[in-house]
Amino acid sequence: MSVTSLAEKWVDEAAALTRPSEVVWCDGSEAEYDGLVETMLRDGTLLTLNPRTYPGCYLHRSHPQDVARTEQLTFICSRERGDAGPTNNWMAPAEAKTKAGALFRSGMRGRTMWAIPYLMGPAGSPMSRVGLMVTDSAYVVASMHIMTRVGPAAIRQMRGDDDFVAGLHSLGDLSPDRRLILHFPEEKLIWSVGSGYGGNALLGKKCHALRIASAQALREGWLAEHMLIIGVEDPEGRVTYLAAAMPSASGKTNLAMVVSRLPGWRAWTLGDDIAWMHVDSTGQLRAINPERGFFGVAPNTSPKTNPNGTAMVRSNTIFTNVALTPAGEPWWEGLTPEAPAGVVDWQGRPWRPGDGPAAHPNSRFTVLCQQCPSIAPNWEDPQGVPISGIIFGSRRSNVIPLVFEGFDWTHGVFLGSAMSTETTAAITGKVGVVRRDPMAMIPFCGYNMADYFAHWLATGRRLAAPPRIFRVNWFRRDADGRFLWPGYGENMRVLKWMVERIRGTARTEETPIGWVPAPGALDTDGLDLPPERLREALRCDAAEWLQALGDLGEFYDQFGARLPAPIAEKLAEARRHFGG
Ligand code: SAT
Ligand code: MN
């Protein structure tokens, strides 16, 4: 395995700054993974789970102050503030390097620094990209083994001396007071210090594959999106591919692995979190999943909500911050209706019902995609899969109907840009607060979001037949606070309607906000759902919309003249429809 001289030089410089006692280049082999696990079992970073019922599975407990992405400590360090835009935290590159440099300096003294060459995307795909990260966390290395393709596969794919995104990571002291997650899009560079958790530390994921990649994608004419990829197979065996953007911990993993109760219909999983999409030479949008594993939310994953997800984590999985049963098995809220007696919570403390959650609400499993029973046979196709439909979904208790479709690409982009959602435990801060989250990218867009909307509009003009764009909300509630739609496996019924729309056979009704399923068009066969509840789930309330569009106008205002005119026009049109 030989890397380019620039890659070696960059690692040498990282070592000169952080002063580790040794530098180990990772080759991605099984032996390397096993060695890391052994080291972590010895020093207590990992605990072995029941080898009979959960073979190859381990539990990791994070520092209690390091359990979710910390957006307030995440910065885009573009040269110009305007290029980060009003929705990102910004820090000048020089200031960022001074501040974080002080935290990195000699921070790896007495520790090992691993250098990890990794590939995002299938081997041999022109859409794949290389990263090179260094870290002093064995847990991060093992997680990168699962989430990316580490070693020679990455090095083989480098198209030049400097063809890699560089990532410097150190645990620091894990205190949020000395934590910074910094992105330098112009330098293809990430600096992250002070966290060992998920999106803060597995730099291939949110930092590279979304924040840096989205900025590259703007320059190079492709899209890096916070989207699952799914193939929906109809009874004739035809597969239609869809990509769906949804905020963190809002059902992407469950939808990606959905098990259908509709005879003859099934879903194939291609990815659960990130899609990289290119326009091919025929004008077709094609998507790859840059990741190799799932870093999914454990709570509420059960044989009922996600049978494939539950099955795939029964072996070779690293669990983080879940509870532990006396039998040495992982447990989280929702896995079984009742907690087994004698569990200890995510911090290892004895737990009793009523004590609050036993598993941390953002506890996770890390597992290879190939372990998922519904993984698509072509999920690593270097050419990607053709995307016929795009879904924008968010978590809203009210206002937003179960499903509707944009009138065309521009209107669909407007609907995506207008998304708002209730926050979840995936980020530190308050849960359940409504915030704007265009295309579920508010935490992940590496540049000015107004330019991002413009980039989406421009991409549409290059597509021979732009995918249809759908808006969904599984989370609407009735006056008593009960969900109107059963969700989970039944979401397949909504996917079926989308596929029929794409084929041109589904019946719809035109409303001011888009096309909604006509009465009877959504397949509710065998579903115990009173028609009035479905009507309520699909209802568009003019007064609520007018209010929502007013809030949206305020959100758009912060972009000033940078907001693309077609987006402003769609807002004005919608307001006129509702008499505003
Ligand atoms: O912790 S991660 O950022 O990887 C997961 C998420 O918030 O989507
Ligand atoms: Mn995510």
Side-chain angles (χ1 to χ4, degrees):
M1 191 168 80
S2 79
V3 293
T4 66
S5 52
L6 260 186
E8 267 173 5
K9 183 163 167 276
W10 184 80
V11 171
D12 286 346
E13 285 167 7
L17 174 62
T18 57
R19 299 259 155 226
S21 55
E22 56 165 350
V23 177
V24 175
W25 280 83
C26 296
D27 63 11
S29 63
E30 253 173 69
E32 184 172 84
Y33 182 83
D34 294 343
L36 288 159
V37 167
E38 230 168 82
T39 309
M40 289 190 280
L41 288 174
R42 261 199 314 270
D43 71 13
T45 306
L46 291 185
L47 302 174
T48 307
L49 295 174
N50 189 320
R52 206 168 37 77
T53 53
Y54 281 84
C57 291
Y58 305 96
L59 169 62
H60 173 68
R61 293 186 182 130
S62 308
H63 188 282
Q65 290 205 73
D66 187 31
V67 291
R69 278 186 296 105
T70 38
E71 293 183 1
Q72 72 281 13
L73 304 173
T74 302
F75 291 81
I76 302 299
C77 308
S78 48
R79 278 191 291 270
E80 301 291 329
R81 179 181 218 128
D83 289 338
T87 62
N88 277 312
N89 298 317
W90 176 81
M91 211 189 289
E95 183 194 348
K97 285 186 184 165
T98 305
K99 273 199 175 141
L103 302 173
F104 278 118
R105 190 154 302 118
S106 304
M108 296 190 192
R109 224 179 254 285
R111 306 169 62 90
T112 298
M113 180 173 98
W114 287 273
I116 315 171
Y118 64 89
L119 179 65
M120 301 307 291
S125 171
M127 302 181 216
S128 295
R129 291 285 186 279
V130 176
L132 172 60
M133 81 170 280
V134 297
T135 180
D136 54 2
S137 159
Y139 167 78
V140 167
V141 185
S143 300
M144 287 293 285
H145 261 246
I146 297 173
M147 296 305 295
T148 74
R149 294 152 180 94
V150 170
I155 292 161
R156 270 198 298 275
Q157 194 101 8
M158 288 176 71
R159 295 162 303 183
D161 213 31
D162 69 341
D163 185 26
F164 61 92
V165 169
L168 172 58
H169 173 256
S170 175
L171 292 170
D173 65 3
L174 297 179
S175 162
D177 297 334
R178 282 169 293 283
R179 181 181 302 163
L180 285 168
I181 297 112
L182 308 170
H183 306 75
F184 306 87
E186 288 123 346
E187 299 173 59
K188 293 190 298 184
L189 177 66
I190 303 154
W191 277 20
S192 167
V193 62
S195 168
Y197 193 83
N200 290 338
L202 314 180
L203 300 189
K205 197 173 179 60
K206 307 298 186 176
C207 300
H208 177 165
L210 287 175
R211 298 197 191 93
I212 297 288
S214 63
Q216 285 182 312
L218 171 71
R219 283 195 302 275
E220 298 170 8
W222 48 284
L223 297 167
E225 300 298 331
H226 192 205
M227 290 180 171
L228 66 87
I229 310 168
I230 190 174
V232 180
E233 183 174 332
D234 70 11
E236 285 77 53
R238 292 175 297 183
V239 182
T240 303
Y241 296 96
L242 305 164
M246 291 168 187
S248 302
S250 298
K252 278 199 303 299
T253 306
N254 292 340
L255 184 63
M257 295 167 196
V258 67
V259 174
S260 166
R261 291 206 294 131
L262 294 173
W265 290 78
R266 70 163 297 172
W268 296 99
T269 310
L270 291 102
D272 82 328
D273 196 39
I274 301 176
W276 283 357
M277 300 194 287
H278 290 238
V279 182
D280 75 9
S281 57
T282 69
Q284 170 68 52
L285 193 63
R286 304 191 77 87
I288 59 162
N289 172 9
E291 301 192 280
R292 183 177 177 239
F294 303 115
F295 181 65
V297 179
N300 216 19
T301 304
S302 74
K304 184 172 162 278
T305 62
N306 188 344
N308 287 322
T310 316
M312 78 184 170
V313 300
R314 289 303 295 249
S315 60
N316 310 320
T317 300
I318 299 178
F319 294 91
T320 301
N321 298 338
V322 297
L324 182 65
T325 74
E329 297 183 345
W331 190 82
W332 50 83
E333 276 67 22
L335 176 61
T336 52
E338 308 258 313
V343 309
V344 294
D345 76 1
W346 62 279
Q347 294 184 72
R349 302 172 303 196
W351 178 91
R352 264 193 249 117
D355 281 353
H360 188 277
N362 192 37
S363 54
R364 300 273 175 160
F365 51 76
T366 311
V367 61
L368 286 171
C369 291
Q370 69 192 38
Q371 296 226 155
C372 178
S374 58
I375 195 75
N378 57 340
W379 80 280
E380 290 184 286
D381 186 335
Q383 299 310 316
V385 293
I387 296 296
S388 308
I390 287 173
I391 301 170
F392 293 122
S394 71
R395 181 187 282 273
R396 288 299 309 270
S397 304
N398 46 38
V399 188
I400 307 299
L402 172 65
V403 59
F404 55 106
E405 181 192 337
F407 294 120
D408 55 25
W409 183 265
T410 303
H411 186 240
V413 172
F414 163 68
L415 293 178
S417 79
M419 238 163 71
S420 55
T421 199
E422 287 152 24
T423 51
T424 66
I427 40 172
T428 54
K430 254 195 145 148
V431 170
V433 180
V434 177
R435 71 163 178 181
R436 289 284 154 199
D437 192 357
M439 281 89 163
M441 280 290 278
I442 206 80
F444 305 124
C445 185
Y447 59 100
N448 190 312
M449 201 128 216
D451 300 347
Y452 172 76
F453 300 154
H455 182 47
W456 264 84
L457 294 172
T459 302
R461 292 191 287 274
R462 292 165 52 213
L463 294 168
R468 288 175 187 263
I469 298 182
F470 303 93
R471 179 75 173 84
V472 303
N473 174 27
W474 317 134
F475 301 93
R476 199 175 195 181
R477 293 171 191 254
D478 64 15
D480 299 324
R482 288 172 311 182
F483 289 114
L484 283 160
W485 176 253
Y488 301 113
E490 308 303 354
N491 292 337
M492 190 69 188
R493 299 170 187 274
V494 177
L495 298 180
K496 179 186 175 199
W497 179 77
M498 291 174 183
V499 169
E500 289 166 351
R501 278 297 290 162
I502 290 162
R503 301 258 173 76
T505 57
R507 286 174 306 109
T508 64
E509 248 173 27
E510 189 177 335
T511 76
I513 60 168
W515 306 99
V516 298
L522 207 62
D523 185 343
T524 52
D525 246 22
L527 185 64
D528 184 20
L529 183 71
E532 65 276 9
R533 280 186 80 78
L534 181 59
R535 261 201 309 281
E536 182 62 16
L538 289 168
R539 189 174 63 93
C540 155
D541 181 289
E544 283 179 349
W545 271 82
L546 198 54
Q547 151 97 51
L549 293 170
D551 296 347
L552 180 60
E554 275 172 35
F555 174 69
Y556 284 165
D557 280 348
Q558 62 183 327
F559 299 108
R562 218 151 159 163
L563 186 77
I567 298 292
E569 277 158 28
K570 289 292 164 205
L571 174 63
E573 246 171 59
R575 276 178 158 162
R576 274 197 304 277
H577 272 298
F578 291 108

